[in-house]
Amino acid sequence: MTRLKKLLIPIAIITATIVIMMAIFSNPPSNKRFKGKPQAQMTVDALTLTEQDFSLDIQSYGVVRPRTQSMLVAQVSGQVSFISENFRDGGFFEEGELLLSIDDRDYQAEVKIAEASLLSAKQNLLEEQARSKQALADWNRLGSGDAPSPLVLREPQLAAQQASVLSAQAKLEKAQIALERTKLIAPFAGRVLNKNVDLGQVVSNNSQLASIYATDYVEIRLPINNKDLPFINLPETYRSGEQVFGAGDVELSSDLVGEQRWQGHLVRTEGAIDDGSQQLYVIAQINDPYNLDRNIGLPIKIGQYVTARIKGKIQSGALVIPNNAIYQGSYVYTLTDDNLLIRKDVTLAWQNDTQAIVKSGLESGMRLVTTSLGQVSSGTKVAVLGEAPKSKKRGKISPEQREKLQKIADKRGISVEQLVAERKQKRVESEL
């Protein structure tokens, strides 16, 4: 009995194993295969390139300086007796206006003394002229027949008296000039930059009274990048005197105190390249800068830093692209008809802070990607912003496709619809 039991146990184990194996093979597990998760399609914005006439704007910068700036200096000494209300820091004045007076009583006295000396010298001259005539008459009365000598005619004495008159006249003129210099007259219409003297102060000869500048126009010295020189009309003057002026319009602006803008124009080009920057400078001019009608915002200030936008030459048939579409300054991305990214190497003819003109590498009609991209390879499929996606509508068959399917269906003896259904079923099964 024990021996039989030992034989049955292995037989039972083998039998169970066979049954389990048959059950496994007869009921295989279903394996649902899935394709990899589709990657999200990138959406970009595209610009269709077209040739256009493009007006260049050359960017520059500079500091405002006056056309004429002068230091008013006292030419006589004395006490300041009068100061004009306009003679103050920032005050405007007109040409010929009296700005300051120095006490002139001493100088009036000097004029009177000089006038008296001149009268005395003239009297002595008249007396000496009379003596000279009398000497000539006496010589003729003696009847010697010889010509009288200069000493006989008192010519040296006469010349000395004439010199005395000239000296007295010069002293009078000098005294009158000194008297005139007690009045400080404005040499031009301008503005006071800073004042160094006040009423009652005693000043000496050569004392600096104030710094003033002309207000008819101001100038700004603007550097031009070497790459921008071919695209700007430079005002030039030749030795013959002939002047060649470009368009020259300049818009100047500053954000020092809110929005400030002025309209100016180029007036000349400097005759040498700057040693420090190795750039050429042009001079922009703003006429009547303190006229209320010519200013947007507060008036311009001397020494103010401004930015300039110079109107350049018009480029015909230019391909203009935004700077954000350029990578490393050398290539861009374009789109094919199937919305595939294609990298294109480009050469730029001109570029500013926002735009660039393409010299080579792109053509009119191409679609330029303007969306900033990361590390993207050529051939990447993208979607275009604002463009309807090209959906694959499986229910619709083109005439060419139907003709091909009809030939296959005829060989198999079925209809086109049945053939399409079979293919659709196989496609579904392959996706499971």
Side-chain angles (χ1 to χ4, degrees):
M1 185 69 179
T2 303
R3 187 175 181 180
L4 181 60
K5 185 176 181 181
K6 289 181 179 180
L7 291 172
L8 292 174
I9 292 175
I11 294 171
I13 292 173
I14 293 171
T15 303
T17 302
I18 293 172
V19 171
I20 293 172
M21 291 178 63
M22 291 178 64
I24 290 173
F25 284 111
S26 61
N27 297 286
S30 59
N31 182 18
K32 296 183 178 180
R33 295 177 297 172
F34 292 92
K35 293 183 178 180
K37 185 177 180 181
Q39 297 182 353
Q41 196 174 51
M42 188 184 304
T43 301
V44 299
D45 198 1
L47 171 68
T48 301
L49 299 179
T50 56
E51 294 183 352
Q52 57 181 296
D53 292 340
F54 184 71
S55 179
L56 297 179
D57 286 334
I58 308 300
Q59 305 293 329
S60 189
Y61 57 90
V63 176
V64 178
R65 62 184 186 184
R67 182 262 297 181
T68 300
Q69 183 172 340
S70 303
M71 178 65 70
L72 294 182
V73 178
Q75 294 180 284
V76 294
S77 59
Q79 186 180 42
V80 177
S81 59
F82 168 78
I83 286 183
S84 170
E85 293 183 357
N86 296 328
F87 192 68
R88 62 183 186 277
D89 290 350
F92 290 93
F93 54 85
E94 297 300 326
E95 182 179 359
E97 181 178 343
L98 177 62
L99 301 178
L100 176 147
S101 293
I102 296 174
D103 187 1
D104 62 353
R105 289 175 292 178
D106 291 340
Y107 299 97
Q108 289 179 356
E110 292 291 336
V111 169
K112 292 179 180 178
I113 293 173
E115 288 175 345
S117 297
L118 178 60
L119 290 175
S120 177
K122 287 181 176 180
Q123 179 186 355
N124 294 334
L125 176 61
L126 291 173
E127 292 176 354
E128 191 59 42
Q129 287 174 343
R131 294 190 187 101
S132 178
K133 290 180 179 179
Q134 184 61 43
L136 178 61
D138 293 342
W139 180 266
N140 292 331
R141 189 173 59 252
L142 292 175
S144 62
D146 296 332
S149 66
L151 290 176
V152 171
L153 298 179
R154 300 183 61 85
E155 289 181 1
Q157 293 84 346
L158 182 61
Q161 291 301 325
Q162 290 174 340
S164 297
V165 172
L166 292 176
S167 177
Q169 287 177 337
K171 289 180 180 179
L172 175 60
E173 290 174 359
K174 189 175 180 180
Q176 290 173 338
I177 291 174
L179 178 62
E180 290 177 1
R181 287 173 175 173
T182 61
K183 309 295 182 184
L184 190 64
I185 306 299
F188 47 75
R191 192 176 189 183
V192 178
L193 189 60
N194 53 68
K195 184 185 72 168
N196 304 325
V197 70
D198 214 333
L199 189 66
Q201 184 175 344
V202 177
V203 297
S204 60
N205 192 18
N206 293 328
S207 295
Q208 295 183 351
L209 305 180
S211 179
I212 62 174
Y213 60 91
T215 55
D216 51 353
Y217 62 84
V218 294
E219 295 182 341
I220 303 95
R221 186 170 180 254
L222 302 173
I224 305 297
N225 290 330
N226 294 334
K227 65 180 181 64
D228 292 333
L229 289 176
F231 303 100
I232 185 174
N233 293 311
L234 297 174
E236 290 285 0
T237 302
Y238 294 88
R239 185 178 179 182
S240 62
E242 182 180 0
Q243 294 179 335
V244 179
F245 291 96
D249 291 335
V250 184
E251 183 178 298
L252 300 118
S253 61
S254 173
D255 56 359
L256 178 64
V257 187
E259 182 185 6
Q260 294 176 278
R261 284 191 288 117
W262 307 272
Q263 194 67 35
H265 58 280
L266 299 183
V267 292
R268 66 182 181 275
T269 303
E270 292 190 352
I273 302 296
D274 185 78
D275 292 335
S277 63
Q278 287 299 303
Q279 291 180 322
L280 185 64
Y281 281 75
V282 296
I283 306 300
Q285 177 177 303
I286 303 176
N287 292 323
D288 200 6
Y290 300 100
N291 188 327
L292 180 61
D293 297 333
R294 293 180 178 267
N295 285 270
I296 297 179
L298 294 179
I300 201 166
K301 305 296 181 183
I302 299 300
Q304 184 174 354
Y305 181 89
V306 295
T307 57
R309 190 174 68 182
I310 305 171
K311 185 177 180 60
K313 298 177 181 178
I314 296 178
Q315 301 298 306
S316 300
L319 287 178
V320 183
I321 64 175
N323 281 345
N324 60 359
I326 307 172
Y327 298 87
Q328 300 178 9
S330 61
Y331 66 92
V332 298
Y333 285 102
T334 60
L335 291 176
T336 65
D337 293 338
D338 297 331
N339 291 345
L340 299 180
L341 290 177
I342 300 297
R343 173 172 166 167
K344 291 281 188 180
D345 293 329
V346 295
T347 303
L348 303 180
W350 174 84
Q351 187 177 23
N352 64 4
D353 294 336
T354 58
Q355 296 174 305
I357 295 178
V358 178
K359 183 178 181 180
S360 62
L362 296 177
E363 296 179 359
S364 179
M366 288 184 173
R367 291 192 298 165
L368 176 71
V369 176
T370 57
T371 302
S372 297
L373 304 175
Q375 296 294 331
V376 182
S377 302
S378 290
T380 302
K381 182 76 172 180
V382 296
V384 179
L385 185 67
E387 182 179 293
K390 298 179 181 180
S391 59
K392 297 181 180 179
K393 299 182 179 181
R394 296 173 181 171
K396 294 185 178 180
I397 304 173
S398 65
E400 293 79 7
Q401 290 177 329
R402 176 171 288 276
E403 184 177 353
K404 292 180 180 178
L405 292 174
Q406 186 66 52
K407 292 180 180 179
I408 299 173
D410 292 342
K411 290 181 180 180
R412 295 182 55 185
I414 60 177
S415 65
V416 174
E417 287 72 15
Q418 289 175 332
L419 181 59
V420 172
E422 286 181 4
R423 291 191 172 186
K424 183 176 180 181
Q425 182 63 30
K426 289 181 180 180
R427 188 160 45 245
V428 172
E429 290 176 354
S430 65
E431 292 176 355
L432 295 178

